Amino acid sequence: MRPVSQRVNAKKTHENNTEFGKSTSELLILKPEGYPLSGMMDEYPVIENRDVFEFYAREQWNGYVARKGDYLFDRRMFPDFAYRIIDVEPAESIIGSSTSIIVTEEENGLPSSAEIKSSVKFEDVIGQELAKQKCRLIERFLEEPERFGKWAPRNILFFGPSGTGKTMLAKALANKTDVPIIPVKATQLIGEYVGDGARQIHQLYDRAEEMAPCIIFIDELDAIALDRKFQELRGDVSEIVNALLTEMDGIVERDGVCTICSTNRIYSLDSAIRSRFEEEIEFVLPGEDEVLQIFESNVKTFPLQVEDVDFHTLAKKTKGLSGRDLVEKVLKTALHQTIIEDREIVTGKDFETALAKLARKDTLQDPSELYV
């Protein structure tokens, strides 16, 4: 008999998928945890075909809201066998028919050897024309890695404010060239014990080499690659940096592997790391025309009608906001407030109110106001 608590948890998970604003999961990383109770006859599942398991898992958990740290229970072939969610992108999103599901034995959530395919297109990244232009070289390398030889663009740095499309462009590049991408947050590479981080770096590149041509995308690089005068405060970060430098230097040949790192604190990076990048590609905040495109393209997907909105005027008031700010803090806030008030139409006033709230938060965070 299944424990009562498990039945309740499953019901709650199903109910959560009715919430507005939940996007479909792009990537779900699971770790097998076993059964809640042990017994003499327990049989543990072995994944022999990852593609078949992925289809099986998507069909079984379709519609579930995936949250990092939660558990998913098998309800069919191995009832009550638990998988813990190590990571999910985007956070708290719904498992759907296009979700990539990977099972790993590692706590850090790095996928074992499965290919991660992207569905993001270049057209999805609004603006950043100079960055897209510079990515053409990487595109050609990934399409014909053998043509470049020792002149391959192996290490690329994306830099610029948060929310300007660095991760999206890396995924779009992988999609355009039809190669796998392994996205990793730099903080995931910091292990619990000395030596863990360096081992994970080398495992990451071993994995990418198996799938070559392949992109390794390391987000928030500054978390491990700060100027060395700060690294002594970060435990084993120095040995992680040394391992990364070894891989980026090509001491071990990794044919067809392209490393793309991103940061919003480029001037805080260690000079030794920064010197390894052959190309630095800047991402900038959107201008008025790009803000207008972001507004118009996103409101088309609203579940409610939008009326009486002058997006041209609105765009003039968004200076300093990134594309993510516009979507998450302006459009989504306006939509959610309309839903809360049981209205069927989102108006210009809703967007103005969302912008005003955002401006007030920025004022409160200004350190110059703290001691007035």
Side-chain angles (χ1 to χ4, degrees):
M1 180 176 177
R2 187 174 301 143
V4 174
S5 61
Q6 287 179 236
R7 294 200 301 270
V8 172
N9 289 342
K11 182 178 179 183
K12 284 183 179 178
T13 307
H14 274 299
E15 287 175 349
N16 283 340
N17 67 11
T18 61
E19 296 177 16
F20 285 94
K22 296 292 185 185
S23 54
T24 301
S25 308
E26 292 180 17
L27 174 65
L28 183 67
I29 300 178
L30 306 177
K31 180 178 183 292
E33 291 289 2
Y35 292 98
L37 299 172
S38 61
M40 294 290 291
M41 304 301 291
D42 283 347
E43 182 183 1
Y44 277 61
V46 177
I47 299 173
E48 294 185 349
N49 187 315
R50 291 184 177 274
D51 290 337
V52 173
F53 175 82
E54 189 174 26
F55 183 88
Y56 169 81
R58 280 196 301 248
E59 185 183 60
Q60 178 171 203
W61 295 318
N62 185 56
Y64 279 65
V65 176
R67 296 185 178 88
K68 186 175 179 178
D70 280 4
Y71 292 90
L72 293 172
F73 291 90
D74 196 336
R75 302 298 184 193
R76 298 178 180 177
M77 297 186 68
F78 293 85
D80 293 334
F81 187 86
Y83 294 88
R84 182 155 55 94
I85 299 174
I86 299 298
D87 204 359
V88 57
E89 293 184 6
E92 297 194 16
S93 48
I94 296 173
I95 301 172
S97 58
S98 62
T99 302
S100 293
I101 299 178
I102 294 170
V103 177
T104 176
E105 295 290 342
E106 300 174 28
E107 281 290 336
N108 56 33
L110 300 179
S112 55
S113 61
E115 297 184 2
I116 304 169
K117 293 293 185 179
S118 170
S119 59
V120 179
K121 299 178 180 178
F122 275 105
E123 300 78 53
D124 297 332
V125 183
I126 296 174
Q128 310 302 346
E129 296 306 321
L130 183 59
K132 290 177 186 176
Q133 196 174 43
K134 288 191 173 184
C135 281
R136 287 177 185 167
L137 176 66
I138 311 171
E139 182 183 330
R140 290 179 184 174
F141 164 62
L142 292 169
E143 289 172 342
E144 299 179 272
E146 65 285 345
R147 178 184 173 188
F148 283 77
K150 70 174 185 177
W151 305 105
R154 299 189 185 279
N155 306 307
I156 311 296
L157 180 65
F158 288 178
F159 72 96
S162 297
T164 48
K166 297 185 289 292
T167 303
M168 284 186 69
L169 193 58
K171 290 181 177 180
L173 188 59
N175 183 30
K176 179 76 184 296
T177 54
D178 195 29
V179 302
I181 179 171
I182 305 178
V184 181
K185 288 191 181 296
T187 48
Q188 291 178 275
L189 300 171
I190 302 174
E192 184 176 355
Y193 304 103
V194 173
D196 280 355
R199 175 180 55 80
Q200 290 173 24
I201 289 279
H202 297 310
Q203 285 180 346
L204 177 65
Y205 277 85
D206 285 342
R207 204 169 303 144
E209 189 177 18
E210 290 173 4
M211 299 187 286
C214 175
I215 295 172
I216 293 175
F217 181 72
I218 302 178
D219 197 10
E220 300 172 359
L221 179 66
D222 46 274
I224 59 170
L226 286 174
D227 190 287
R228 294 196 180 196
K229 63 188 174 190
F230 302 119
Q231 288 176 18
E232 61 187 40
L233 306 176
R234 299 296 305 274
D236 66 343
V237 170
S238 291
E239 55 100 6
I240 295 174
V241 170
N242 289 334
L244 185 59
L245 286 172
T246 300
E247 294 293 351
M248 293 175 73
D249 280 339
I251 295 173
V252 179
E253 289 289 336
R254 305 285 192 183
D255 293 333
V257 176
C258 179
T259 303
I260 300 177
C261 298
S262 78
T263 180
N264 57 359
R265 300 174 62 191
I266 187 169
Y267 298 110
S268 300
L269 293 184
D270 182 65
S271 57
I273 285 278
R274 191 171 172 184
S275 67
R276 264 53 173 199
F277 294 103
E278 301 109 24
E279 185 74 59
E280 294 183 354
I281 300 178
E282 185 176 11
F283 286 69
V284 297
L285 292 171
E288 284 186 22
D289 290 341
E290 289 154 353
V291 169
L292 190 60
Q293 289 181 56
I294 292 170
F295 280 150
E296 291 178 344
S297 63
N298 280 279
V299 296
K300 290 177 183 176
T301 63
F302 269 21
L304 300 178
Q305 279 186 288
V306 178
E307 295 181 3
D308 299 324
V309 184
D310 183 354
F311 284 122
H312 288 275
T313 302
L314 205 62
K316 295 180 187 296
K317 302 178 181 180
T318 59
K319 185 178 179 181
L321 297 182
S322 68
R324 184 168 59 207
D325 291 333
L326 296 171
V327 173
E328 298 293 326
K329 299 178 181 179
V330 179
L331 297 182
K332 187 178 281 188
T333 299
L335 173 63
H336 286 186
Q337 188 59 40
T338 305
I339 293 169
I340 289 169
E341 295 175 5
D342 290 324
R343 292 185 282 117
E344 295 298 321
I345 298 173
V346 188
T347 67
K349 186 178 179 182
D350 295 310
F351 296 113
E352 293 279 0
T353 302
L355 263 175
K357 287 181 180 177
L358 194 55
R360 283 201 298 273
K361 287 180 183 177
D362 289 343
T363 301
L364 289 173
Q365 291 170 356
D366 184 353
S368 65
E369 301 293 325
L370 291 177
Y371 303 103
V372 175

